């Protein structure tokens, strides 16, 4: 019996190790929470969970999954995916009042995928992949088709270990009308190794997350270098979730906040499977005069990192440190402001943009995009991506780009005209933004008349147009040194900077809501009601005449009452009845 027990234990140990080996695990998990007070008085909470797997899914026959979700791993292997980026967002990030976002996403659903070179039919793989992701995340990604899919040539370069120049392997689509709810959050949390039972994921309470000004959840899958020599490839799954709370209204006029006030929960432990679990609190304002911020409990350490061209200071709480939970069993980080809100000035981001529709009537219109460069002395280029549905027929000859009252000719332009009911318009331009300037881009369009079966159930609400995408290397205020990504926080490593003098920024404008010529759908309803009424009356009368049985009744002589009445009438000299 002892020998049999030892054999069973050895078999369990063999099966419990990845790949059937007893060496160190080939996968790791890092979880991180960044709490950033925004200039407007709101609070941004950014969760990041990174699962790294030292495995080549395209070459090895992988059958055992430990931290990496099996559903996504099999998806990568079957459809030969090089990179996958999916975001589901409710709300719009207000760049002018909230500052530059760490990870911005457009309103609705966004999906862009790079495929391997060995994929023969990219469109078929793209369609099947979007349908499967629709089932995994309970989203409407199955509505992605050729009418809202484009292939950019300059935007959306790979973020991982790849130097791909064949843009035909890229597919990009946006569903701006997608509504994000708890049915999308639940499958997202199930992909986490610890679920929502332990670690930072216990704060992901749907009731609090969706009672916010902005909510965005995303999944990023990409190949990365396994070590410094970059001879082997590892796969990285990064799940991010960004929430913006209006602390000024919730706190009854105060900007003070705490974990319990925001999430109705506190942190009690780290995820047992995580090799690193930390909470970062942005206390950069504390380094200014009179120390504006007061953080409790006192952080175990302070970390300085160059983020988006500026050096920021963060209070660090390491959940794996034994001394963190010595005093209390739970961690409730609190922040208090020593000054009122009016004493702080809103800092304008270096790069921000806005977009709107102008014109009158339902025949023609104009799309205008304003791009702001507030840097006092540095000019830099920006790549603008415009995706316009086919039912807005663009007049490319009306494209006008002006900066400071002068024409600004793009150094690169790529335009793919739309085809009715087959593909949208695609316009990409490389525009130089002078220092301290506003660049205006306008283009006119004509509205098409759809078939009556192509209108949505609420046609008078309007039709959504995907937001513009801006990609740029923004000049940095400070010199940034190249550091090891494994040692830096996760929120600084998704878009690594190859040049210390600039940092990469990707921004999205507002989605547009355009009205199209809409027929009076009440007229068919009136015709149907009138026709049904006439048919019912005529057919009912005709049917009644055909089916009714007629009987001839003989006139009765009358009863006793009639006889008495005739006797009385005869006596009075009145004719009888």
């Amino acid at each position: 019996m002892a020998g049999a027990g030892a054999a069973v234990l050895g078999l369990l140990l063999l099966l419990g190790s990845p790949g059937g080996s007893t060496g160190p695990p080939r996968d790791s998990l890092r979880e991180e929470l960044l709490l950033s007070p925004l200039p407007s008085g709101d609070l941004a909470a950014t969760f990041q969970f990174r699962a790294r797997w030292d495995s080549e899914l395209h070459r090895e026959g992988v059958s055992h999954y430990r931290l990496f979700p099996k559903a996504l791993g099999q998806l990568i292997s079957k459809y030969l995916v090089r990179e996958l980026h999916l975001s589901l967002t409710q709300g719009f990030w207000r760049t002018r009042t909230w500052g530059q976002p760490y990870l911005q996403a457009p309103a609705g659903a966004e999906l862009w995928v790079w495929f391997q070179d060995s994929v023969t039919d990219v469109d078929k793989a793209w369609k099947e992949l979007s349908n499967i992701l629709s089932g995994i995340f309970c989203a409407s990604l199955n509505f992605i088709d050729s009418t809202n899919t484009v292939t950019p040539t300059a935007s959306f370069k790979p973020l991982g270990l790849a130097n791909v120049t064949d843009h035909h392997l890229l597919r990009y689509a946006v569903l701006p009308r997608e509504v994000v709810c708890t049915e999308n959050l639940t499958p997202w949390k199930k992909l986490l190794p610890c679920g929502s039972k332990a670690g930072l994921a216990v704060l992901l309470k749907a009731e609090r997350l969706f009672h916010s000004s902005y909510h965005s959840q995303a999944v990023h899958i990409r190949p990365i270098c396994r070590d410094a020599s970059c001879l082997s490839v590892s796969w990285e799954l990064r799940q991010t979730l960004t929430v913006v709370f209006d602390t000024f209204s919730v706190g009854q006029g105060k900007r003070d906040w705490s974990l319990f006030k925001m999430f109705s929960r506190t942190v009690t432990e780290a995820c047992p499977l995580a090799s690193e679990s930390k909470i970062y609190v942005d206390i950069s304002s504390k380094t200014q005069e009179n120390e504006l911020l007061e953080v409790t409990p006192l952080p175990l350490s302070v970390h300085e990192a160059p983020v988006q061209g500026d050096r920021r200071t963060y209070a660090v709480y390491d959940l794996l440190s034994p001394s963190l939970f010595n005093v209390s069993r739970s961690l409730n980080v609190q922040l208090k402001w020593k000054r009122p809100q009016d004493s702080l000035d809103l800092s304008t981001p270096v790069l921000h943009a806005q977009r709107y529709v102008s014109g009158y009537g339902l025949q023609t219109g104009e799309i205008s995009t304003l791009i702001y460069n507030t840097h006092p002395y540095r000019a830099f280029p920006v790549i603008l991506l415009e995706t316009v549905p086919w039912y807005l027929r663009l007049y490319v000859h009306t494209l006008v780009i002006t900066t400071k009252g002068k024409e600004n000719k793009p150094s690169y332009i790529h335009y793919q005209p739309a085809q009715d009911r087959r593909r949208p318009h695609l316009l990409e331009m490389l525009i130089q933004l002078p220092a301290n300037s506003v660049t205006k881009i306008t283009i006119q369009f004509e509205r098409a008349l759809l078939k009556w079966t192509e209108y949505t159930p609420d046609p008078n609400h309007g039709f959504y147009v995907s937001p513009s995408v801006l990609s740029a290397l923004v000049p940095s205020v400070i010199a940034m040194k190249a550091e090891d990504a494994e040692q830096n926080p996760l929120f600084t490593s998704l878009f690594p900077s190859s040049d210390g003098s600039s940092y990469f920024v990707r921004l999205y404008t507002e989605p547009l809501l355009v009205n199209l010529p809409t027929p009076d759908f009440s007229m068919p309803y009136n015709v149907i009601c009138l026709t049904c009424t006439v048919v019912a009356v005529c057919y009912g009368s005709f049917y009644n005449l055909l089916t009714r049985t007629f009987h001839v009744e003989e006139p009765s002589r009358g009863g006793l009452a009639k006889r008495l009445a005739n006797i009385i009438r005869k006596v009075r000299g009145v004719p009888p009845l």
Side-chain angles (χ1 to χ4, degrees):
M1 294 295 293
V8 172
L9 181 60
L11 181 60
L12 291 177
L13 291 176
L14 181 63
L15 294 176
S17 59
S21 61
T22 58
R26 300 170 57 188
D27 49 3
S28 60
L29 173 66
R30 292 177 59 185
E31 58 178 4
E32 173 185 297
L33 170 60
L34 171 63
L35 300 172
S36 304
L38 301 178
S40 61
D42 302 326
L43 174 69
T46 304
F47 294 84
Q48 292 210 37
F49 304 88
R50 194 197 75 162
R52 173 178 172 175
W53 193 9
D54 297 339
S55 174
E56 298 185 7
L57 296 177
H58 295 153
R59 298 182 181 179
E60 303 177 3
V62 180
S63 59
H64 178 78
Y65 292 83
R66 181 173 173 263
L67 300 179
F68 204 94
K70 186 176 182 180
L72 298 181
Q74 293 179 343
L75 201 65
I76 295 173
S77 302
K78 181 177 181 181
Y79 293 101
L80 301 177
V81 175
R82 186 189 301 272
E83 283 194 19
L84 187 148
H85 303 272
L86 170 65
S87 65
L88 300 172
T89 306
Q90 186 74 22
F92 176 72
W93 182 275
R94 303 179 181 93
T95 307
R96 301 192 65 177
T97 57
W98 293 345
Q100 294 283 4
Y102 295 101
L103 299 170
Q104 188 184 4
E110 180 194 42
L111 176 64
W112 58 285
V113 178
W114 278 94
F115 292 93
Q116 294 285 345
D117 302 338
S118 56
V119 178
T120 56
D121 192 349
V122 178
D123 293 330
K124 180 180 179 181
W126 165 256
K127 183 61 178 177
E128 294 180 358
L129 179 65
S130 59
N131 289 335
I132 295 177
L133 291 175
S134 176
I136 293 178
F137 293 97
C138 295
S140 302
L141 301 178
N142 56 309
F143 286 97
I144 293 179
D145 52 14
S146 61
T147 60
N148 48 33
T149 300
V150 295
T151 303
T153 59
S155 304
F156 296 99
K157 295 300 182 181
L159 300 180
L161 181 62
N163 188 13
V164 184
T165 58
D166 188 4
H167 62 273
H168 297 287
L169 301 174
L170 170 65
R171 292 295 183 271
Y172 173 78
V174 175
L175 298 177
R177 198 173 181 175
E178 179 71 12
V179 179
V180 184
C181 195
T182 55
E183 61 183 6
N184 309 116
L185 179 63
T186 301
W188 185 90
K189 292 192 296 185
K190 289 183 178 180
L191 297 177
L192 300 174
C194 292
S196 58
K197 305 300 181 182
L200 298 176
V202 299
L203 302 176
L204 302 178
K205 188 177 180 181
E207 179 184 355
R208 303 299 301 172
L209 294 180
F210 289 98
H211 188 67
S212 58
S213 303
Y214 176 82
H215 173 272
S216 177
Q217 60 188 58
V219 172
H220 305 277
I221 303 177
R222 61 175 181 173
I224 59 176
C225 294
R226 188 171 301 183
D227 49 22
S229 61
C230 203
L231 298 177
S232 302
V233 178
S234 299
W235 283 91
E236 179 190 73
L237 166 63
R238 188 173 299 212
Q239 297 181 240
T240 64
L241 189 144
T242 304
V243 187
V244 176
F245 295 102
D246 188 358
T247 58
F248 192 78
S249 61
V250 175
Q252 298 179 354
K254 298 181 180 180
R255 299 204 306 169
D256 304 340
W257 57 264
S258 64
L259 288 181
F260 186 79
K261 181 185 294 185
M262 296 296 102
F263 303 101
S264 299
R265 293 177 181 176
T266 57
V267 181
T268 56
E269 62 175 348
C271 176
L273 300 175
S275 59
E276 182 178 318
S277 180
K278 293 182 180 180
I279 297 179
Y280 292 87
V281 182
D282 191 351
I283 57 174
S284 301
S285 301
K286 189 175 182 180
T287 59
Q288 301 177 2
E289 55 180 355
N290 298 332
E291 292 189 352
L292 301 179
L293 301 178
E294 180 182 355
V295 184
T296 55
L298 294 177
L300 301 178
S301 60
V302 177
H303 177 76
E304 291 187 359
V307 179
Q308 295 179 343
D310 193 8
R311 187 166 296 278
R312 313 292 295 180
T313 305
Y314 300 94
V316 184
Y317 298 89
D318 190 355
L319 301 184
L320 296 179
S321 177
S323 59
L324 186 61
F325 297 101
N326 286 342
V327 180
S328 176
R329 293 184 178 181
S330 62
L331 175 63
N332 184 23
V333 181
Q334 302 180 12
L335 184 142
K336 295 183 179 179
W337 289 83
K338 297 182 179 181
R339 286 188 184 181
Q341 181 188 8
D342 297 338
S343 62
L344 295 178
D345 297 330
L346 296 178
S347 59
T348 305
V350 177
L351 176 65
H352 60 279
Q354 62 180 1
R355 192 181 185 208
Y356 59 90
V357 177
S358 58
Y360 60 91
L362 294 177
Q363 182 178 1
T364 61
E366 186 178 72
I367 298 177
S368 301
T369 304
L370 300 179
I371 306 177
Y372 297 84
N373 176 16
T374 60
H375 201 284
Y377 55 87
R378 289 286 299 274
F380 56 89
V382 62
I383 298 177
L384 176 65
L385 171 66
E386 294 272 4
T387 304
V388 182
W390 63 267
Y391 44 78
L392 298 182
R393 293 165 179 166
L394 297 181
Y395 295 150
V396 185
H397 69 280
T398 63
L399 177 64
V400 178
I401 305 175
T402 56
T403 304
K404 296 183 178 180
K406 298 181 180 180
E407 183 181 1
N408 188 349
K409 293 185 178 180
S411 56
Y412 170 80
I413 185 170
H414 169 73
Y415 174 67
Q416 183 183 42
Q419 294 182 3
D420 288 356
R421 299 171 181 86
R422 292 187 59 185
R423 71 183 186 191
H425 300 271
L426 173 62
L427 178 62
E428 283 185 289
M429 296 180 291
L430 181 61
I431 306 172
Q432 186 74 15
L433 303 181
N436 196 14
S437 64
V438 180
T439 302
K440 184 176 182 180
I441 306 167
T442 60
I443 186 171
Q444 298 180 8
F445 65 89
E446 180 184 2
R447 296 173 171 88
L449 183 62
L450 305 180
K451 297 179 180 179
W452 72 273
T453 56
E454 295 175 342
Y455 286 91
T456 58
D458 51 348
N460 294 310
H461 176 75
F463 292 79
Y464 285 90
V465 180
S466 303
S468 301
V469 186
L470 284 81
S471 305
L473 287 175
V474 180
S476 176
V477 179
I478 61 174
M480 297 182 295
K481 299 180 180 180
E483 300 178 358
D484 186 9
E486 294 296 326
Q487 304 298 329
N488 288 341
L490 294 178
F491 58 86
T492 63
S493 59
L494 184 60
F495 299 113
S497 177
S498 58
D499 186 5
S501 61
S502 61
Y503 60 96
F504 180 77
V505 171
R506 178 175 290 148
L507 297 178
Y508 298 86
T509 62
E510 306 90 339
L512 301 180
L513 189 61
V514 181
N515 290 325
L516 295 181
T518 305
D520 187 4
F521 288 101
S522 64
M523 292 305 297
Y525 173 77
N526 297 336
V527 171
I528 292 174
C529 292
L530 180 61
T531 304
C532 292
T533 303
V534 172
V535 170
V537 172
C538 297
Y539 177 77
S541 302
F542 187 69
Y543 180 80
N544 190 18
L545 292 176
L546 292 178
T547 58
R548 175 179 295 180
T549 303
F550 295 92
H551 300 278
V552 179
E553 296 183 357
E554 297 180 357
S556 58
R557 296 180 179 179
L560 179 62
K562 187 176 181 181
R563 296 175 186 173
L564 293 176
N566 289 333
I567 294 174
I568 297 174
R569 294 172 69 88
K570 185 177 181 181
V571 172
R572 296 176 57 184
V574 180
L577 297 177

